[in-house]
Amino acid sequence: LAKTTQPISMDSYEGQEVNITCSHNNIATNDYITWYQQFPSQGPRFIIQGYKTKVTNEVASLFIPADRKSSTLSLPRVSLSDTAVYYCLVGDGGSQGNLIFGKGTKLSVKP
Amino acid sequence: SAVISQKPSRDICQRGTSLTIQCQVDSQVTMMFWYRQQPGQSLTLIATANQGSEATYESGFVIDKFPISRPNLTFSTLTVSNMSPEDSSIYLCSVDRGKGAFFGQGTRLTVV
């Protein structure tokens, strides 16, 4: 599974758009990019998954350039409740169970 | 989505004892996964539990320390054996639902 690199932490204010970029230079052809969110004392929660270009759901957008060596999770108009650790993972989309988590990005949203 | 229930949610145990953590899923799944999250750290996969066969352990984890049972397609247990303070962590089970993994709330274990 490809290794990922993310910023350790980010700060933002309520109402701002937050973009978290993840590098995955060794991504394989059949790898998908998946983002998880983890609140303290809870298990990680699936946010979004994509393979190329752009994916959007009710929670976030995921931007993936043509070379797929990086991806950007975009959270529109964050609130205090978006304070969490965000993990970027890459791997075979058909086998999302045996995951390799990196250190994640700790997002702190301030009022 | 999947509903995953873990028991206990937390426990404080004496060193040298063992604790068995239960994971119940609301529907049948082929594989269940056990993770450990040490304080302030990311998640690390311990093992993959398949129904009807022995669990597959990741490097650094052994069956004698973390025996796993998988008696049916909706249930699994992880035992943390002969505990030491270094085993103090959150232990999580998860399942794959084809697009993303779903995690239980975790079991917060403190060994004193």
Side-chain angles (χ1 to χ4, degrees):
Chain A
L1 297 174
K3 181 179 178 180
T4 60
T5 302
Q6 306 172 233
I8 294 296
S9 64
M10 293 183 68
D11 292 333
S12 181
Y13 290 93
E14 282 190 292
Q16 288 187 331
E17 178 184 80
V18 171
N19 297 308
I20 306 174
T21 298
C22 177
S23 298
H24 28 79
N25 291 319
N26 297 322
I27 189 170
T29 303
N30 60 340
D31 282 344
Y32 283 74
I33 301 156
T34 311
W35 286 79
Y36 291 84
Q37 174 192 56
Q38 186 178 27
F39 297 113
S41 300
Q42 294 188 24
R45 180 177 75 104
F46 171 88
I47 300 175
I48 197 167
Q49 183 183 79
Y51 183 81
K52 61 180 180 180
T53 62
K54 177 183 175 182
V55 179
T56 297
N57 61 24
E58 64 280 3
V59 177
S61 295
L62 179 59
F63 298 92
I64 306 168
D67 66 5
R68 305 201 326 124
K69 293 184 182 300
S70 67
S71 59
T72 299
L73 174 73
S74 181
L75 305 171
R77 299 183 59 79
V78 294
S79 64
L80 296 176
S81 62
D82 292 314
T83 294
V85 178
Y86 293 81
Y87 295 98
C88 162
L89 287 81
V90 296
D92 182 354
S95 179
Q96 288 284 320
N98 50 340
L99 304 173
I100 297 178
F101 283 79
K103 296 185 182 299
T105 298
K106 185 174 184 179
L107 173 65
S108 298
V109 180
K110 303 174 182 178
Chain B
S1 63
V3 176
I4 303 174
S5 301
Q6 274 188 244
K7 292 180 181 178
S9 58
R10 59 178 60 227
D11 207 343
I12 301 174
C13 300
Q14 296 289 327
R15 66 178 67 198
T17 63
S18 298
L19 176 71
T20 295
I21 302 167
Q22 300 179 4
C23 181
Q24 179 76 51
V25 188
D26 64 342
S27 60
Q28 295 182 345
V29 292
T30 304
M31 292 187 289
M32 296 177 71
F33 304 86
W34 287 97
Y35 289 82
R36 179 176 74 182
Q37 187 169 27
Q38 295 177 301
Q41 302 297 314
S42 184
L43 284 78
T44 301
L45 180 65
I46 298 172
T48 301
N50 293 314
Q51 196 271 334
S53 64
E54 279 198 6
T56 303
Y57 289 82
E58 298 299 308
S59 175
F61 299 96
V62 295
I63 188 171
D64 289 346
K65 177 67 175 178
F66 297 101
I68 287 171
S69 78
R70 184 78 201 276
N72 58 54
L73 291 173
T74 63
F75 187 79
S76 178
T77 67
L78 169 76
T79 298
V80 186
S81 303
N82 189 24
M83 290 183 284
S84 67
E86 292 70 34
D87 294 318
S88 296
S89 295
I90 298 173
Y91 293 86
L92 302 106
C93 69
S94 80
V95 300
D96 167 31
R97 279 295 166 88
K99 185 173 183 178
F102 292 90
F103 288 82
Q105 291 287 83
T107 296
R108 182 180 293 273
L109 170 62
T110 302
V111 183
V112 296

